[in-house]
Amino acid sequence: MERENQFVGQSLAFLDAVERTSRAAALERPVLVIGERGTGKELIAERLHRLSGRWGEALVTMNCAALPETLIEAELFGHEAGAFTGATRTREGRFEEADGGTLFLDELATLSMAAQERLLRAVEYGEVTRIGSSRPLRVDVRIVAATNEDLPTKAERGEFRADLLDRLSFEVITLPPLRAREGDVAVLADYFGRRMAAELAWEAWPGFAEHVAQQLEDYAWPGNVRELRNVIERAVYRWDDPERPVGHIVFDPFDSPWKPESSAPASSAHSPQKPKETAPARPDFDDVADLRAAVDNHERSIVEHALGKHRWNQRQTAKALGLSYDQLRHCIKKHGLMEEGA
């Protein structure tokens, strides 16, 4: 696989999904990949293709959510010239393009019921018919489909064809979200950090400051690995001192004191707002057995974060925290932060 498409991780949940993918790759059967956004569904599809006997043929990808409903069937199955307004010439569909290889259908749940019915026939009989034609064409295509929806529930509600779901679910690979991949946040952060440091031509990779590593572990990662990569690469490229561990990280790139105010209706101005993902979890006060140590740890975290935010400019940090320069120097010495800032 290409350098950009590496599997990185060591958690059992992640390794189990990769192992099941490898076992299913050699079989000429459809595979359904389930997972939240950013968990790597397209990487799984590529692995299924590259480890199969079809590895030398085309891997064709189609995002079912990227096209209006009126064009999805023409995109999948092709059309004849004059089949509809704007169809000035005959065009092969994705099934014909993938003949002999693999067709990856991302965002499967967004397909219309009519498109699902035609897809069912293609999966079951290996035949497709271009729009505007009455002559079916034989195709040899392996289907890999992906979604972040609960398809069995949608099928029960009549929102997805149960018979199509049966055909596509010979093997179902459910990818764990990043928050469930124990130990993988640190591994992935180091991997993406090293790559970004190399891209920036840093002589060495300094790693992350202790408080940043803890912030990475505590964050919920709603965007999973894709979000983690963006956060890490942004933090590294914004860090000005390659000799010092990366000491500041921004989870929300839109967070700014000057960002435009929401255009939400005035009636919703007093409605309860969803808490931000980046908000730190409230500490469990029942676990505090040593008040002085707890206060010291909290103070250290605040000072460490502020120093990183201001790139270890101690005068700016002192001003931001409402301290004198001497008071900040005392905190740095008290908490043993000189080593990280040296």
Side-chain angles (χ1 to χ4, degrees), residues 199-212:
E199 184 177 332
L200 296 171
W202 288 8
E203 292 185 2
W205 167 235
F208 297 101
E210 183 180 336
H211 70 287
V212 169

mmCIF file with all atom_site columns, all heavy atoms in Angstrom, residues 199-212:
data_model
loop_
_atom_site.group_PDB
_atom_site.id
_atom_site.type_symbol
_atom_site.label_atom_id
_atom_site.label_alt_id
_atom_site.label_comp_id
_atom_site.label_asym_id
_atom_site.label_entity_id
_atom_site.label_seq_id
_atom_site.pdbx_PDB_ins_code
_atom_site.Cartn_x
_atom_site.Cartn_y
_atom_site.Cartn_z
_atom_site.occupancy
_atom_site.B_iso_or_equiv
_atom_site.pdbx_formal_charge
_atom_site.auth_seq_id
_atom_site.auth_comp_id
_atom_site.auth_asym_id
_atom_site.auth_atom_id
_atom_site.pdbx_PDB_model_num
ATOM 1   N N   . GLU A 1 199 ? 8.652  16.327 6.935  1.00 0.00 ? 199 GLU A N   1
ATOM 2   C CA  . GLU A 1 199 ? 8.211  17.197 5.842  1.00 0.00 ? 199 GLU A CA  1
ATOM 3   C C   . GLU A 1 199 ? 8.724  18.619 6.030  1.00 0.00 ? 199 GLU A C   1
ATOM 4   O O   . GLU A 1 199 ? 9.027  19.318 5.055  1.00 0.00 ? 199 GLU A O   1
ATOM 5   C CB  . GLU A 1 199 ? 6.677  17.188 5.770  1.00 0.00 ? 199 GLU A CB  1
ATOM 6   C CG  . GLU A 1 199 ? 6.093  17.970 4.612  1.00 0.00 ? 199 GLU A CG  1
ATOM 7   C CD  . GLU A 1 199 ? 4.583  17.870 4.546  1.00 0.00 ? 199 GLU A CD  1
ATOM 8   O OE1 . GLU A 1 199 ? 4.017  16.857 5.006  1.00 0.00 ? 199 GLU A OE1 1
ATOM 9   O OE2 . GLU A 1 199 ? 3.950  18.820 4.034  1.00 0.00 ? 199 GLU A OE2 1
ATOM 10  N N   . LEU A 1 200 ? 8.835  19.041 7.287  1.00 0.00 ? 200 LEU A N   1
ATOM 11  C CA  . LEU A 1 200 ? 9.330  20.385 7.593  1.00 0.00 ? 200 LEU A CA  1
ATOM 12  C C   . LEU A 1 200 ? 10.858 20.437 7.677  1.00 0.00 ? 200 LEU A C   1
ATOM 13  O O   . LEU A 1 200 ? 11.428 21.478 7.995  1.00 0.00 ? 200 LEU A O   1
ATOM 14  C CB  . LEU A 1 200 ? 8.735  20.868 8.913  1.00 0.00 ? 200 LEU A CB  1
ATOM 15  C CG  . LEU A 1 200 ? 7.210  21.060 8.938  1.00 0.00 ? 200 LEU A CG  1
ATOM 16  C CD1 . LEU A 1 200 ? 6.728  21.336 10.359 1.00 0.00 ? 200 LEU A CD1 1
ATOM 17  C CD2 . LEU A 1 200 ? 6.779  22.173 8.003  1.00 0.00 ? 200 LEU A CD2 1
ATOM 18  N N   . ALA A 1 201 ? 11.510 19.286 7.421  1.00 0.00 ? 201 ALA A N   1
ATOM 19  C CA  . ALA A 1 201 ? 12.979 19.181 7.424  1.00 0.00 ? 201 ALA A CA  1
ATOM 20  C C   . ALA A 1 201 ? 13.581 19.436 8.799  1.00 0.00 ? 201 ALA A C   1
ATOM 21  O O   . ALA A 1 201 ? 14.677 19.978 8.910  1.00 0.00 ? 201 ALA A O   1
ATOM 22  C CB  . ALA A 1 201 ? 13.594 20.114 6.381  1.00 0.00 ? 201 ALA A CB  1
ATOM 23  N N   . TRP A 1 202 ? 12.858 19.044 9.867  1.00 0.00 ? 202 TRP A N   1
ATOM 24  C CA  . TRP A 1 202 ? 13.443 19.119 11.195 1.00 0.00 ? 202 TRP A CA  1
ATOM 25  C C   . TRP A 1 202 ? 14.548 18.072 11.296 1.00 0.00 ? 202 TRP A C   1
ATOM 26  O O   . TRP A 1 202 ? 14.424 16.969 10.752 1.00 0.00 ? 202 TRP A O   1
ATOM 27  C CB  . TRP A 1 202 ? 12.390 18.846 12.271 1.00 0.00 ? 202 TRP A CB  1
ATOM 28  C CG  . TRP A 1 202 ? 11.400 19.960 12.450 1.00 0.00 ? 202 TRP A CG  1
ATOM 29  C CD1 . TRP A 1 202 ? 11.255 21.076 11.679 1.00 0.00 ? 202 TRP A CD1 1
ATOM 30  C CD2 . TRP A 1 202 ? 10.393 20.051 13.471 1.00 0.00 ? 202 TRP A CD2 1
ATOM 31  N NE1 . TRP A 1 202 ? 10.222 21.859 12.151 1.00 0.00 ? 202 TRP A NE1 1
ATOM 32  C CE2 . TRP A 1 202 ? 9.675  21.258 13.256 1.00 0.00 ? 202 TRP A CE2 1
ATOM 33  C CE3 . TRP A 1 202 ? 10.030 19.246 14.533 1.00 0.00 ? 202 TRP A CE3 1
ATOM 34  C CZ2 . TRP A 1 202 ? 8.625  21.652 14.066 1.00 0.00 ? 202 TRP A CZ2 1
ATOM 35  C CZ3 . TRP A 1 202 ? 8.978  19.626 15.348 1.00 0.00 ? 202 TRP A CZ3 1
ATOM 36  C CH2 . TRP A 1 202 ? 8.286  20.833 15.113 1.00 0.00 ? 202 TRP A CH2 1
ATOM 37  N N   . GLU A 1 203 ? 15.598 18.368 12.013 1.00 0.00 ? 203 GLU A N   1
ATOM 38  C CA  . GLU A 1 203 ? 16.714 17.435 12.152 1.00 0.00 ? 203 GLU A CA  1
ATOM 39  C C   . GLU A 1 203 ? 16.351 16.245 13.038 1.00 0.00 ? 203 GLU A C   1
ATOM 40  O O   . GLU A 1 203 ? 16.917 15.155 12.878 1.00 0.00 ? 203 GLU A O   1
ATOM 41  C CB  . GLU A 1 203 ? 17.936 18.157 12.723 1.00 0.00 ? 203 GLU A CB  1
ATOM 42  C CG  . GLU A 1 203 ? 18.536 19.196 11.764 1.00 0.00 ? 203 GLU A CG  1
ATOM 43  C CD  . GLU A 1 203 ? 19.812 19.799 12.305 1.00 0.00 ? 203 GLU A CD  1
ATOM 44  O OE1 . GLU A 1 203 ? 20.246 19.375 13.406 1.00 0.00 ? 203 GLU A OE1 1
ATOM 45  O OE2 . GLU A 1 203 ? 20.371 20.678 11.636 1.00 0.00 ? 203 GLU A OE2 1
ATOM 46  N N   . ALA A 1 204 ? 15.455 16.433 13.972 1.00 0.00 ? 204 ALA A N   1
ATOM 47  C CA  . ALA A 1 204 ? 15.046 15.352 14.872 1.00 0.00 ? 204 ALA A CA  1
ATOM 48  C C   . ALA A 1 204 ? 13.606 15.582 15.295 1.00 0.00 ? 204 ALA A C   1
ATOM 49  O O   . ALA A 1 204 ? 13.061 16.678 15.119 1.00 0.00 ? 204 ALA A O   1
ATOM 50  C CB  . ALA A 1 204 ? 15.964 15.296 16.097 1.00 0.00 ? 204 ALA A CB  1
ATOM 51  N N   . TRP A 1 205 ? 13.001 14.549 15.832 1.00 0.00 ? 205 TRP A N   1
ATOM 52  C CA  . TRP A 1 205 ? 11.621 14.647 16.305 1.00 0.00 ? 205 TRP A CA  1
ATOM 53  C C   . TRP A 1 205 ? 11.644 14.795 17.826 1.00 0.00 ? 205 TRP A C   1
ATOM 54  O O   . TRP A 1 205 ? 12.026 13.855 18.536 1.00 0.00 ? 205 TRP A O   1
ATOM 55  C CB  . TRP A 1 205 ? 10.830 13.414 15.892 1.00 0.00 ? 205 TRP A CB  1
ATOM 56  C CG  . TRP A 1 205 ? 9.501  13.244 16.566 1.00 0.00 ? 205 TRP A CG  1
ATOM 57  C CD1 . TRP A 1 205 ? 9.066  12.162 17.272 1.00 0.00 ? 205 TRP A CD1 1
ATOM 58  C CD2 . TRP A 1 205 ? 8.407  14.178 16.586 1.00 0.00 ? 205 TRP A CD2 1
ATOM 59  N NE1 . TRP A 1 205 ? 7.789  12.357 17.743 1.00 0.00 ? 205 TRP A NE1 1
ATOM 60  C CE2 . TRP A 1 205 ? 7.357  13.593 17.331 1.00 0.00 ? 205 TRP A CE2 1
ATOM 61  C CE3 . TRP A 1 205 ? 8.223  15.453 16.057 1.00 0.00 ? 205 TRP A CE3 1
ATOM 62  C CZ2 . TRP A 1 205 ? 6.149  14.230 17.557 1.00 0.00 ? 205 TRP A CZ2 1
ATOM 63  C CZ3 . TRP A 1 205 ? 7.016  16.102 16.283 1.00 0.00 ? 205 TRP A CZ3 1
ATOM 64  C CH2 . TRP A 1 205 ? 5.991  15.490 17.011 1.00 0.00 ? 205 TRP A CH2 1
ATOM 65  N N   . PRO A 1 206 ? 11.232 15.952 18.373 1.00 0.00 ? 206 PRO A N   1
ATOM 66  C CA  . PRO A 1 206 ? 11.325 16.188 19.817 1.00 0.00 ? 206 PRO A CA  1
ATOM 67  C C   . PRO A 1 206 ? 10.207 15.561 20.633 1.00 0.00 ? 206 PRO A C   1
ATOM 68  O O   . PRO A 1 206 ? 10.264 15.547 21.864 1.00 0.00 ? 206 PRO A O   1
ATOM 69  C CB  . PRO A 1 206 ? 11.271 17.721 19.907 1.00 0.00 ? 206 PRO A CB  1
ATOM 70  C CG  . PRO A 1 206 ? 10.414 18.119 18.741 1.00 0.00 ? 206 PRO A CG  1
ATOM 71  C CD  . PRO A 1 206 ? 10.753 17.147 17.646 1.00 0.00 ? 206 PRO A CD  1
ATOM 72  N N   . GLY A 1 207 ? 9.163  15.072 19.977 1.00 0.00 ? 207 GLY A N   1
ATOM 73  C CA  . GLY A 1 207 ? 8.038  14.494 20.701 1.00 0.00 ? 207 GLY A CA  1
ATOM 74  C C   . GLY A 1 207 ? 7.096  15.558 21.246 1.00 0.00 ? 207 GLY A C   1
ATOM 75  O O   . GLY A 1 207 ? 7.170  16.736 20.866 1.00 0.00 ? 207 GLY A O   1
ATOM 76  N N   . PHE A 1 208 ? 6.216  15.141 22.142 1.00 0.00 ? 208 PHE A N   1
ATOM 77  C CA  . PHE A 1 208 ? 5.224  16.043 22.723 1.00 0.00 ? 208 PHE A CA  1
ATOM 78  C C   . PHE A 1 208 ? 5.513  16.254 24.204 1.00 0.00 ? 208 PHE A C   1
ATOM 79  O O   . PHE A 1 208 ? 5.969  15.341 24.900 1.00 0.00 ? 208 PHE A O   1
ATOM 80  C CB  . PHE A 1 208 ? 3.811  15.467 22.575 1.00 0.00 ? 208 PHE A CB  1
ATOM 81  C CG  . PHE A 1 208 ? 3.363  15.306 21.156 1.00 0.00 ? 208 PHE A CG  1
ATOM 82  C CD1 . PHE A 1 208 ? 3.406  14.056 20.546 1.00 0.00 ? 208 PHE A CD1 1
ATOM 83  C CD2 . PHE A 1 208 ? 2.911  16.384 20.416 1.00 0.00 ? 208 PHE A CD2 1
ATOM 84  C CE1 . PHE A 1 208 ? 3.001  13.898 19.239 1.00 0.00 ? 208 PHE A CE1 1
ATOM 85  C CE2 . PHE A 1 208 ? 2.513  16.244 19.110 1.00 0.00 ? 208 PHE A CE2 1
ATOM 86  C CZ  . PHE A 1 208 ? 2.559  14.994 18.514 1.00 0.00 ? 208 PHE A CZ  1
ATOM 87  N N   . ALA A 1 209 ? 5.223  17.457 24.677 1.00 0.00 ? 209 ALA A N   1
ATOM 88  C CA  . ALA A 1 209 ? 5.315  17.726 26.113 1.00 0.00 ? 209 ALA A CA  1
ATOM 89  C C   . ALA A 1 209 ? 4.302  16.843 26.842 1.00 0.00 ? 209 ALA A C   1
ATOM 90  O O   . ALA A 1 209 ? 3.291  16.423 26.283 1.00 0.00 ? 209 ALA A O   1
ATOM 91  C CB  . ALA A 1 209 ? 5.043  19.194 26.392 1.00 0.00 ? 209 ALA A CB  1
ATOM 92  N N   . GLU A 1 210 ? 4.585  16.585 28.083 1.00 0.00 ? 210 GLU A N   1
ATOM 93  C CA  . GLU A 1 210 ? 3.755  15.656 28.869 1.00 0.00 ? 210 GLU A CA  1
ATOM 94  C C   . GLU A 1 210 ? 2.293  16.091 28.919 1.00 0.00 ? 210 GLU A C   1
ATOM 95  O O   . GLU A 1 210 ? 1.373  15.271 28.781 1.00 0.00 ? 210 GLU A O   1
ATOM 96  C CB  . GLU A 1 210 ? 4.325  15.549 30.283 1.00 0.00 ? 210 GLU A CB  1
ATOM 97  C CG  . GLU A 1 210 ? 3.593  14.562 31.167 1.00 0.00 ? 210 GLU A CG  1
ATOM 98  C CD  . GLU A 1 210 ? 4.183  14.484 32.567 1.00 0.00 ? 210 GLU A CD  1
ATOM 99  O OE1 . GLU A 1 210 ? 5.381  14.818 32.711 1.00 0.00 ? 210 GLU A OE1 1
ATOM 100 O OE2 . GLU A 1 210 ? 3.452  14.111 33.491 1.00 0.00 ? 210 GLU A OE2 1
ATOM 101 N N   . HIS A 1 211 ? 2.056  17.391 29.111 1.00 0.00 ? 211 HIS A N   1
ATOM 102 C CA  . HIS A 1 211 ? 0.665  17.842 29.224 1.00 0.00 ? 211 HIS A CA  1
ATOM 103 C C   . HIS A 1 211 ? -0.071 17.734 27.891 1.00 0.00 ? 211 HIS A C   1
ATOM 104 O O   . HIS A 1 211 ? -1.276 17.478 27.859 1.00 0.00 ? 211 HIS A O   1
ATOM 105 C CB  . HIS A 1 211 ? 0.604  19.281 29.750 1.00 0.00 ? 211 HIS A CB  1
ATOM 106 C CG  . HIS A 1 211 ? 1.094  20.317 28.787 1.00 0.00 ? 211 HIS A CG  1
ATOM 107 N ND1 . HIS A 1 211 ? 2.423  20.495 28.485 1.00 0.00 ? 211 HIS A ND1 1
ATOM 108 C CD2 . HIS A 1 211 ? 0.413  21.234 28.035 1.00 0.00 ? 211 HIS A CD2 1
ATOM 109 C CE1 . HIS A 1 211 ? 2.552  21.470 27.608 1.00 0.00 ? 211 HIS A CE1 1
ATOM 110 N NE2 . HIS A 1 211 ? 1.349  21.943 27.318 1.00 0.00 ? 211 HIS A NE2 1
ATOM 111 N N   . VAL A 1 212 ? 0.643  17.886 26.767 1.00 0.00 ? 212 VAL A N   1
ATOM 112 C CA  . VAL A 1 212 ? 0.017  17.729 25.457 1.00 0.00 ? 212 VAL A CA  1
ATOM 113 C C   . VAL A 1 212 ? -0.347 16.263 25.223 1.00 0.00 ? 212 VAL A C   1
ATOM 114 O O   . VAL A 1 212 ? -1.438 15.947 24.732 1.00 0.00 ? 212 VAL A O   1
ATOM 115 C CB  . VAL A 1 212 ? 0.952  18.239 24.340 1.00 0.00 ? 212 VAL A CB  1
ATOM 116 C CG1 . VAL A 1 212 ? 0.436  17.827 22.970 1.00 0.00 ? 212 VAL A CG1 1
ATOM 117 C CG2 . VAL A 1 212 ? 1.071  19.756 24.420 1.00 0.00 ? 212 VAL A CG2 1
#
